[in-house]
Amino acid sequence: MNNLSMKAKIKHRVNTENHTVLGEVAPLEAPYVLLVDPSNLCNFRCKFCPTGNHALIRSTGRFQGMLDFDLFKKMIDDLSEFSEPIRVLRLYKEGEPLIHPRFADMVKYAKESKMVKRIDTTSNGVLLNPKLNREIVNAGLDQINISVNGVSAEQIYYYTKTRVDFDKYVENIRDLYENRGNCEVSIKSIEENLTKEEQKQFFDVFGNISDRIYLENLSPAWPDFEFTDVKMEFKSGNYGQEIVERKVCPYIFYIMVVNSDGRTSLCVGDWKHGLGYGDLRTQSVKQLWNGEIINNHRIAHLQGNRGLNDFCGACQVVSHGTLDNLDDYSEEILKRMSK
């Protein structure tokens, strides 16, 4: 297919327009991104995700379930303590967010609060249907990123161990696109998982039912988790950027991560829930974001001591999945934090 004939732009899911240089403004009074997991349950059992390995997840003892809607409302209400709305509410982490029966209500409540500028989510898209499509669009969702795990039912099953009616899957995505209103539809797949012919098929099938489309590179998204039966050759970063080793993780400086039980994690990669620093059931978003525990982690990173935490030290997301580089700003940020 001639890519010029597609309706979709070839563009990754992360918005980098008018990008703020994080090193020039950190530390932040409020997170740029509040990342909340509506559900850490999933309808897929992907080979490249720890959530898909049920025995492994049980061994961690982490909470399994969905976010309480009243607790979600409390989090959104907490945002009024900040001087201005946060930039992005990101509704996903470890599971399939559309499993939550009140997902659309979450979007609507957050949108009506006026304390969130933009709301997005990432989904495998299998639960989409005309009714749900209209609910999430009418609620005010700004962007949905759909992860397509193959260009046939057989290929999706190979990677996710889940049977999918591929034709129906495509038609439900088409319905969402044709009735998307102000919601941007972004579709991506993993380049390494598709042959050249399958990559062409991916663009042929989804290029005219999405606003943006992209082949991401496979990357080690989950520290301390080994992929099974999936190529482990990382030729470039998630979004095609150069792989560069960094000492400072930018995520802890601009993203606040909340698990589906209301407890916080230092980062989205904390699938074991071992990097907690507070609980939204008893503390506010502002208290936790500016708290001593997370600030101590930030200082450790700035001082070159990321490796003192085994999980952070083994993490490759900082080199493969981040677009910000704080290493050159470490001393400046430390000075600002000491004031």
Side-chain angles (χ1 to χ4, degrees):
M1 177 178 182
N2 182 349
N3 291 336
L4 294 177
S5 68
M6 292 191 310
K7 294 178 181 177
K9 296 179 180 178
I10 299 179
K11 182 180 179 183
H12 60 67
R13 54 185 161 154
V14 178
N15 293 311
T16 55
E17 297 83 358
N18 303 313
H19 184 70
T20 301
V21 179
L22 186 61
E24 296 178 354
V25 296
L28 304 175
E29 178 213 0
Y32 282 162
V33 179
L34 179 61
L35 192 152
V36 179
D37 198 6
S39 167
N40 64 10
L41 306 174
C42 191
N43 52 345
F44 275 8
R45 296 182 61 194
C46 297
K47 297 181 178 185
F48 42 80
C49 176
T51 298
N53 187 327
H54 295 175
L56 176 65
I57 294 302
R58 284 194 297 271
S59 74
T60 68
R62 84 178 193 193
F63 171 78
Q64 286 288 280
M66 291 182 279
L67 180 65
D68 179 79
F69 184 64
D70 287 334
L71 178 57
F72 174 80
K73 292 197 295 183
K74 184 262 182 192
M75 285 184 231
I76 299 301
D77 294 345
D78 282 352
L79 299 181
S80 63
E81 295 181 1
F82 295 117
S83 60
E84 59 182 43
I86 64 168
R87 296 186 178 188
V88 180
L89 172 64
R90 189 151 288 158
L91 293 173
Y92 77 92
K93 182 178 182 258
E94 294 158 351
E96 169 51 50
L98 298 185
I99 282 180
H100 200 297
R102 302 200 67 178
F103 178 84
D105 292 333
M106 289 180 174
V107 175
K108 186 173 186 289
Y109 190 85
K111 182 68 74 169
E112 292 180 348
S113 75
K114 306 297 184 184
M115 288 306 299
V116 174
K117 293 181 179 179
R118 184 175 178 84
I119 305 173
D120 69 32
T121 191
T122 294
S123 167
N124 58 44
V126 169
L127 296 178
L128 293 172
N129 61 69
K131 180 177 182 292
L132 180 59
N133 293 347
R134 283 146 187 79
E135 287 177 354
I136 63 177
V137 167
N138 293 337
L141 187 67
D142 293 291
Q143 181 177 336
I144 181 168
N145 308 304
I146 302 173
S147 299
V148 172
N149 292 284
V151 292
S152 67
E154 293 76 20
Q155 193 171 44
I156 290 176
Y157 180 79
Y158 174 77
Y159 285 111
T160 71
K161 302 178 186 176
T162 306
R163 300 291 181 187
V164 171
D165 183 330
F166 188 75
D167 291 339
K168 183 178 180 181
Y169 178 56
V170 173
E171 283 308 306
N172 283 330
I173 294 174
R174 183 187 305 279
D175 177 84
L176 173 64
Y177 175 74
E178 292 176 349
N179 297 278
R180 67 194 184 283
N182 294 320
C183 180
E184 187 174 26
V185 178
S186 173
I187 297 180
K188 64 95 173 175
S189 191
I190 301 298
E191 181 177 349
E192 290 87 347
N193 292 350
L194 305 177
T195 65
K196 291 298 181 182
E197 181 59 34
E198 288 167 345
Q199 290 174 25
K200 179 182 182 300
Q201 187 179 348
F202 170 71
F203 285 109
D204 285 346
V205 173
F206 297 102
N208 285 317
I209 56 173
S210 58
D211 295 295
R212 64 172 84 178
I213 190 168
Y214 198 75
L215 286 172
E216 291 185 358
N217 294 120
L218 186 68
S219 69
W222 306 104
D224 201 24
F225 173 74
E226 294 293 330
F227 297 163
T228 57
D229 301 326
V230 178
K231 297 176 183 177
M232 293 289 288
E233 300 173 1
F234 307 123
K235 61 184 180 181
S236 61
N238 224 149
Y239 311 110
Q241 78 275 25
E242 182 183 1
I243 297 174
V244 178
E245 186 55 49
R246 296 176 178 143
K247 67 178 183 180
V248 183
C249 176
Y251 286 139
I252 57 177
F253 287 86
Y254 76 96
I255 299 179
M256 181 169 179
V257 178
V258 183
N259 296 310
S260 52
D261 60 356
R263 292 183 171 89
T264 55
S265 278
L266 279 180
C267 74
V268 68
D270 180 25
W271 61 274
K272 292 182 179 180
H273 297 191
L275 299 178
Y277 62 93
D279 192 330
L280 268 299
R281 292 171 293 188
T282 57
Q283 297 159 284
S284 73
V285 171
K286 187 173 183 179
Q287 285 175 329
L288 290 171
W289 178 251
N290 295 303
E292 181 179 1
I293 296 176
I294 192 170
N295 273 333
N296 285 341
H297 281 283
R298 292 169 180 147
I299 290 169
H301 280 232
L302 294 169
Q303 293 176 336
N305 294 323
R306 176 164 65 92
L308 293 179
N309 181 297
D310 291 341
F311 193 89
C312 291
C315 180
Q316 293 178 283
V317 176
V318 69
S319 57
H320 291 68
T322 59
L323 296 174
D324 293 284
N325 187 350
L326 295 187
D327 288 15
D328 295 338
Y329 296 89
S330 296
E331 292 185 9
E332 292 179 37
I333 299 171
L334 278 170
K335 288 177 182 178
R336 290 195 290 265
M337 291 183 71
S338 66
K339 292 180 180 179

